[in-house]
Amino acid sequence: MYLESLKKRLLTYKELAEKTFAQLDDEQLHWQPAGEPNNIYIIVKHMSGNMLSRFTDFLTTDGEKPWRQRDDEFRDDPGATKAQLLDMWNKGWDFLLNTLNALQEADLGKTIYIRTEPHLVIDALNRQLAHYPYHVGQIVYLGKVMKADNWQSLSIPKGGSRQFNEQKASGK
């Protein structure tokens, strides 16, 4: 039951990010506000790198793989297109979901390692359930900032709560 709930929650956040990507063009995926915050492309590159590292040989090897170049995940590739971003995004998510689909409830009590630190599988999964939505929130926020008045709400639009609740209550 836990694994199904976990997948459902993760897929909800995946969809929020994808609805944001759909509203943006190639240039906007690389836009950064003043300072050193990450742009959407960098966030996606980091998330994908994390998913590939954490979920490769999930139950048998440390989640921080020697081949991962985490620092490189935080460097923009200005010429990268939305199609390339989506390929990277889908590769990470496919790997994560395939791993989750292979897990059994009995695996949840096993111990795995992330950067040599022991974690119960259920704790490691909860860690990722906190990590990925954190970054999806950043993606959505950046999208909202860029689109401003042209933003298409991903949930209940401001001022629309009463109407939404009434529709739900009436079964529409």
Side-chain angles (χ1 to χ4, degrees), residues 8-157:
K8 182 178 178 183
R9 290 295 113 221
L10 287 169
L11 289 170
T12 298
Y13 290 103
K14 179 180 184 287
E15 182 180 8
L16 287 174
E18 289 169 353
K19 287 180 176 180
T20 300
F21 302 152
Q23 295 186 52
L24 304 174
D25 61 31
D26 289 359
E27 185 177 318
Q28 290 169 318
L29 296 171
H30 297 278
W31 177 81
Q32 290 177 266
E36 292 191 38
N38 296 319
N39 63 35
I40 290 172
Y41 180 84
I42 289 171
I43 295 167
V44 168
K45 188 162 68 163
H46 168 61
M47 288 179 68
S48 181
N50 179 278
M51 290 172 181
L52 294 172
S53 183
R54 294 292 182 265
F55 292 98
T56 295
D57 303 322
F58 179 65
L59 294 175
T60 58
T61 64
D62 192 288
E64 188 65 19
K65 303 299 183 280
W67 46 258
R68 183 178 183 201
Q69 299 296 315
R70 186 179 180 279
D71 290 339
D72 289 344
E73 295 168 11
F74 295 96
R75 291 188 184 97
D76 194 16
D77 301 323
T81 64
K82 185 191 290 192
Q84 290 170 308
L85 173 138
L86 292 173
D87 284 344
M88 186 171 33
W89 175 257
N90 288 322
K91 183 177 180 183
W93 278 98
D94 289 347
F95 210 86
L96 161 65
L97 293 169
N98 287 336
T99 300
L100 293 179
N101 287 333
L103 291 177
Q104 303 298 313
E105 293 288 332
D107 294 327
L108 298 176
K110 293 179 179 177
T111 300
I112 64 160
Y113 295 87
I114 301 173
R115 294 191 181 101
T116 72
E117 180 184 336
H119 292 72
L120 289 177
V121 166
I122 196 168
D123 291 333
L125 295 174
N126 286 336
R127 177 177 168 159
Q128 299 315 107
L129 183 57
H131 184 209
Y132 302 143
Y134 167 80
H135 287 306
V136 168
Q138 294 171 325
I139 289 167
V140 172
Y141 179 75
L142 287 168
K144 287 176 80 167
V145 167
M146 285 183 275
K147 296 301 287 186
D149 292 338
N150 294 319
W151 175 253
Q152 299 294 314
S153 178
L154 305 181
S155 62
I156 304 167

